[in-house]
Amino acid sequence: MSIKKEVLIVAIYAGEIMLKNGGETYRVEDTIMRLCKSRGFSYVETFVTPTGIFLSMDKKNAPEEEMSSYIKRIRSRNINLNKISKINEFSRNFVNSSMSTEEAMQALKKIDEATSYSNLTKSIFGGLASGFFALLFQSNLLESLSAFITGMLVTYSLNYLLSRKMPFFLANILGGGILTLLAIFFSYMTPSIHIDKIIIGAIMVMVPGVAITNAVRDSIEGDLVAGLARAGEAFIIAISIAFGVGAVLKIREISSFIMEVLRQ
Amino acid sequence: MIYLLNFIYGFMCTIGFAVLFNSPKSALLKAGLGGGLGWSVYFVVHHNYDLIVLPTFLASLVIAILGEVFAIMEKQPATLYIIPGIIPLVPGFGLYYTMLSLLEQDYNLAIQHGVEAMLIAILIAAALTIVLSINTYRKNLP
């Protein structure tokens, strides 16, 4: 395999890991450029969108060599800051040393397969985040506690469903449903718990706030396609959550209406 | 007292999200510090002047500057500190509320929430981009 192809594969793999784990568009492009240029390929052009990477490169003053390009499709995205930080370190090492491409591939594989926090740890911290988020919006202690439990269970079930390869649209609808059922359950326990406050807290572990901010950020920086794609993704997630929550709220409304009729 | 409490809430909330986003352990406290301070700025301005958009902008500026400073100190990408930090500010709930109003066919309310969410998102993104651009400019200075 020629050195050109090897460098191409290393660069696209590094970009893929970064993009899959929530790296910003400009950062992915920057990393790919640096990786390629460090091995003497001075003509590098890359086009990154959240759903794919396009990369082509060539050497200066090498008319006999052919130009190489590579397209990589990205299908799933989540946020994993640890991997972004590791790729950043890797890229610095690769650029500043004469690391061989085989070593580079091994290092990248290791990063790609790195374990994250366990589902239990994530759930506890998701619960903490929900509980404190409810407090940020002036809820009382009981509401915060219910938001903690709700957030924990929602994070756990959402991660479980996604690890079972459930499509994220469906998983988010179910997550929204579970969240609202729990919130209704807690609100029936004591009158001092208001259902909205629990939903505000617990829903934050699901809503695409970061995605929508990144969408605007990409658009401001001129990555218009990437910005639109991210905004579209954020909208789909918001719709799925609202669908789950809205359906359960509607069912509660209808069932209480039926109860009323039956009582008369 | 209420300010201190809000700092603590923002701090804990940010750490919770940092773990959800798989942030490395060494970055947790710094991310929390940025998020807590950002939220405090938001809360102080919001509490005293009853504004929403301006304090969001100021808070994002604080988070972005702190993030870039931590990034230079630790030689890590600034995203590590910024993404969890802006979570208390992002209009996730506004976006969700827009969708809920749409499902309930209350289009006026949907537009009201939607525009506000959009405005907040634009301002957060603008603050982050301003700080990022200044930092890039600084790096490129001869």
Side-chain angles (χ1 to χ4, degrees), chain A residues 214-253:
Chain A
N214 273 343
V216 180
R217 211 167 149 195
D218 276 347
S219 304
I220 293 177
E221 279 175 31
D223 299 322
L224 298 175
V225 177
L228 280 178
R230 281 191 209 275
E233 188 181 27
F235 247 69
I236 299 289
I237 298 176
I239 288 173
S240 60
I241 298 169
F243 190 91
V245 176
V248 174
L249 285 178
K250 220 34 170 206
I251 291 170
R252 183 184 74 144
E253 217 172 86

Side-chain angles (χ1 to χ4, degrees), chain A residues 18 24 26-27 31 80-92 111, chain B residues 22-28 30-31 64-82 132 135 138-139:
Chain A
M18 215 169 203
E24 305 99 310
Y26 79 91
R27 193 185 295 282
T31 305
N80 188 331
L81 296 174
N82 190 25
K83 288 188 184 175
I84 296 183
S85 138
K86 282 200 170 132
I87 290 280
N88 203 51
E89 257 164 52
F90 162 80
S91 133
R92 207 177 14 247
I111 295 173
Chain B
N22 266 313
S23 185
K25 287 197 185 74
S26 56
L28 289 182
K30 293 198 176 66
I65 293 171
L66 268 178
E68 296 285 350
V69 170
F70 287 144
I72 294 168
M73 272 166 51
E74 303 280 315
K75 292 215 165 121
Q76 293 277 10
T79 326
L80 234 59
Y81 311 103
I82 293 177
L132 182 82
N135 196 31
R138 185 190 61 86
K139 272 185 204 156

Side-chain angles (χ1 to χ4, degrees), chain A residues 24 26-27 80-82 85 88 92 116-117 122 132 135-136 155 200 203 210 213 221 235 239 242 245, chain B residues 9 12-13 16-17 20-23 25 39 75-77 79-80 83 87 90 93 96 99 103 125 132:
Chain A
E24 305 99 310
Y26 79 91
R27 193 185 295 282
N80 188 331
L81 296 174
N82 190 25
S85 138
N88 203 51
R92 207 177 14 247
S116 47
Y117 295 109
K122 272 192 182 173
F132 281 103
L135 283 175
L136 287 181
T155 318
I200 288 184
I203 208 165
V210 176
T213 309
E221 279 175 31
F235 247 69
I239 288 173
V245 176
Chain B
Y9 297 161
M12 291 304 295
C13 186
F17 277 104
L20 271 187
F21 294 153
N22 266 313
S23 185
K25 287 197 185 74
W39 177 262
K75 292 215 165 121
Q76 293 277 10
T79 326
L80 234 59
I83 294 269
I87 286 279
V90 296
F93 194 69
Y96 153 76
M99 287 300 151
L103 287 180
L132 182 82

Side-chain angles (χ1 to χ4, degrees), chain A residues 137, chain B residues 39-59 89 116 119-120 123:
Chain A
F137 283 87
Chain B
W39 177 262
S40 309
V41 170
Y42 172 86
F43 187 76
V44 168
V45 182
H46 175 69
H47 194 68
N48 292 327
Y49 301 100
D50 202 23
L51 302 164
I52 290 183
V53 175
L54 178 72
T56 309
F57 181 71
L58 292 178
L89 302 170
E116 195 176 279
L119 213 60
I120 293 176
L123 275 166

